[in-house]
């Protein structure tokens, strides 16, 4: 994580205090629910998992918004770097990340170890058709609020179709980790979220800040 952070001249020499929040909550969720043990003696806790992370992030500028130098951690995470897929790969998983942006060698002197596929989200179905691999873990963390996703998938029906495409890539005992499609600020939104996931072929096994879902058997 620190090597990735400091591979950009902007952050080089930046002193990171251990009290600062530098571990993403989605990584903690994955570790807490997928790993039997997570300690210093287990250097490959994610070994054996094949993960497809949609909207994985990239080592390149995401926004032109400027942040004061006193908020470098905020600036770093504002660019949505691929911290979670990189850490999962380092800790033993076989990770493929889908992201419209390339990892920019001009901005970061760091080469990620996971497989980074730079395609638009609307191209995912064609890519999956030409790469018929199944995955044990699929993630859609913080995806549905992204402008580059909403440009193509903005209605419940469109999001449902997108998730149905993803479902074809999940292994029989696989899991989908996802943000809710709509902010669950009302009972109506929560109901629509449930309808989207079910219509896409998933059933919820955990619901909180993120969802954990499994594929419905015998989907027509």
């Amino acid at each position: 994580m620190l090597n990735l952070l400091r591979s950009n001249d902007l952050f080089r020499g930046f002193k990171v205090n251990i009290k600062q929040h530098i571990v993403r909550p989605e990584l903690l969720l994955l570790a807490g629910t997928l790993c039997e043990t997570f300690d210093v003696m287990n250097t490959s806790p994610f070994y054996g998992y094949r993960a497809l992370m949609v909207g994985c992030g990239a080592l390149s500028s995401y926004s032109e918004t400027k942040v004061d130098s006193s908020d470098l951690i905020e600036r770093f995470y504002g660019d949505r770097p691929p911290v979670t897929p990189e850490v999962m790969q380092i800790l033993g998983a076989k990770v493929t990340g889908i992201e419209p942006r390339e990892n920019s060698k001009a901005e970061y002197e760091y080469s990620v170890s996971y497989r980074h596929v730079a395609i638009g989200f609307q191209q995912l179905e064609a890519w999956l058709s030409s790469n018929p691999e199944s995955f044990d873990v699929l993630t859609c963390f913080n995806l549905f609020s992204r402008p580059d996703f909403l440009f193509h998938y903005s209605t419940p029906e469109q999001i449902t179709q997108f998730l149905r495409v993803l479902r074809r890539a999940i292994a029989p005992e696989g899991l989908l980790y996802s943000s809710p499609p709509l902010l669950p600020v009302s009972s109506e939104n929560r109901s629509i979220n449930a309808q989207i996931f079910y219509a896409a072929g998933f059933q919820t096994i955990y619901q909180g800040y993120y969802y954990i879902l499994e594929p419905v058997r015998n989907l027509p």
Side-chain angles (χ1 to χ4, degrees):
M1 165 62 194
L2 293 181
N3 289 339
L4 186 152
L5 176 69
R6 291 172 175 164
S7 64
N8 182 309
D9 286 338
L10 177 65
F11 312 110
R12 199 184 308 276
F14 175 54
K15 293 183 179 180
V16 179
N17 190 310
I18 194 66
K19 294 182 180 180
Q20 291 173 309
H21 180 248
I22 61 174
V23 178
R24 303 298 293 172
E26 55 263 29
L27 180 59
L28 297 177
L29 176 65
L30 290 165
T33 55
L34 294 176
C35 304
E36 294 184 4
T37 59
F38 197 87
D39 54 54
V40 295
M41 299 302 292
N42 184 7
T43 58
S44 301
F46 288 108
Y47 179 77
Y49 286 110
R50 299 161 297 169
L52 178 66
M53 313 192 82
V54 183
C56 65
L59 288 172
S60 59
S61 295
Y62 181 80
S63 171
E64 294 300 322
T65 302
K66 302 300 180 183
V67 179
D68 292 340
S69 59
S70 59
D71 296 316
L72 286 181
I73 288 290
E74 182 181 348
R75 170 66 182 275
F76 179 69
Y77 277 123
D79 279 343
R80 295 180 179 156
V83 175
T84 299
E86 178 69 353
V87 172
M88 280 195 72
Q89 178 77 29
I90 291 173
L91 294 181
K94 181 182 177 183
V95 179
T96 299
I98 303 295
E99 172 69 29
R101 294 176 294 142
E102 295 274 5
N103 286 315
S104 174
K105 295 182 179 179
E107 293 184 56
Y108 286 86
E109 298 175 9
Y110 187 94
S111 296
V112 296
S113 58
Y114 72 95
R115 181 188 182 192
H116 187 90
V117 179
I119 58 173
F121 298 123
Q122 76 280 10
Q123 298 172 293
L124 181 59
E125 182 172 11
W127 182 83
L128 288 173
S129 297
S130 61
N131 294 269
E133 180 180 2
S134 60
F135 298 89
D136 309 298
V137 178
L138 273 67
T139 70
C140 294
F141 289 127
N142 309 311
L143 174 66
F144 303 115
S145 61
R146 288 180 51 165
D148 49 357
F149 179 86
L150 287 169
F151 184 81
H152 301 282
Y153 305 97
S154 58
T155 68
E157 293 77 15
Q158 290 170 333
I159 295 173
T160 298
Q161 183 56 38
F162 178 82
L163 290 172
R164 287 183 71 93
V165 169
L166 274 187
R167 190 193 177 282
R168 302 173 200 161
I170 197 168
E173 302 299 325
L175 295 173
L176 169 66
Y177 288 74
S178 179
S179 302
L182 302 181
L183 288 177
V185 294
S186 66
S187 58
E188 181 182 6
N189 279 12
R190 290 190 290 272
S191 176
I192 292 174
N193 287 335
Q195 293 172 21
I196 288 173
F197 284 127
Y198 184 77
F202 292 97
Q203 58 187 5
T204 302
I205 59 176
Y206 170 81
Q207 180 178 339
Y209 185 80
Y210 294 120
Y211 284 61
I212 304 177
L213 307 106
E214 62 182 3
V216 176
R217 301 294 182 267
N218 302 318
L219 182 71

